[in-house]
Amino acid sequence: LLPLPALDNTVEFSQTNVNFFLDSYLGIVADTFFDNGVFLSEKVFNAINYQQLFFYIAGPGSLEYLRRQGYCTFDDIIDTTYDNIQDNGLRLIQARESLIDFLKQPLQTISAAYKKNVDNIKHNKNLLQKQRPNLQFTKILQRVLHER
């Protein structure tokens, strides 16, 4: 329920300019289902596939679920304690504070955090490719990346 401007005039991720993802250190992901428990959509997997650090706000326990599946969630550089908050409003407020604190840092600090986490970022992408949560989705992403 966050008012964010559209990136383009479509809801089809395959039509979004791929440079939008490739030129970003951080994918900010606000998932569709924020108040219904853990439900992972393609949004977080886009950030993982495009090898971004990611800030993920979704149902309570979503980051913990990703960790249990083997994904790195960058807890050493982003305060992710909001993920444990059951109250939706309080979780959103805490997540907002965490994101602002991270983004207030100088770009050089964020760049250094990205470089420090390259192995974790690659691990996430490799794990995603191995798990292939949606083969059709993965095929489309691969086609779009190779068209570039």
Side-chain angles (χ1 to χ4, degrees), residues 3 63 73 76 79 81 94 110 112 121 123 132 139:
L63 288 172
T73 58
D76 60 325
D79 177 8
T81 56
Q94 183 61 41
I110 293 172
I121 291 165
H123 163 82
R132 295 185 180 269
K139 285 179 182 177

Side-chain angles (χ1 to χ4, degrees), residues 53 77 102 108-118 121:
L53 298 168
I77 58 171
F102 180 77
Q108 296 87 345
T109 303
I110 293 172
S111 176
Y114 181 90
K115 290 173 184 168
K116 175 184 161 195
N117 277 281
V118 164
I121 291 165

Side-chain angles (χ1 to χ4, degrees), residues 33-89:
F33 300 103
F34 180 77
D35 56 357
N36 293 334
V38 175
F39 176 84
L40 304 178
S41 74
E42 82 288 350
K43 294 173 188 74
V44 70
F45 295 116
N46 274 340
I48 291 169
N49 191 62
Y50 285 110
Q51 300 185 65
Q52 297 173 324
L53 298 168
F54 60 86
F55 177 87
Y56 186 46
I57 181 70
S62 295
L63 288 172
E64 178 58 33
Y65 180 82
L66 281 170
R67 282 186 219 102
R68 285 194 315 264
Q69 301 310 306
Y71 291 95
C72 300
T73 58
F74 313 110
D75 309 315
D76 60 325
I77 58 171
I78 300 171
D79 177 8
T80 60
T81 56
Y82 63 85
D83 187 55
N84 301 317
I85 300 173
Q86 294 297 314
D87 181 275
N88 296 323

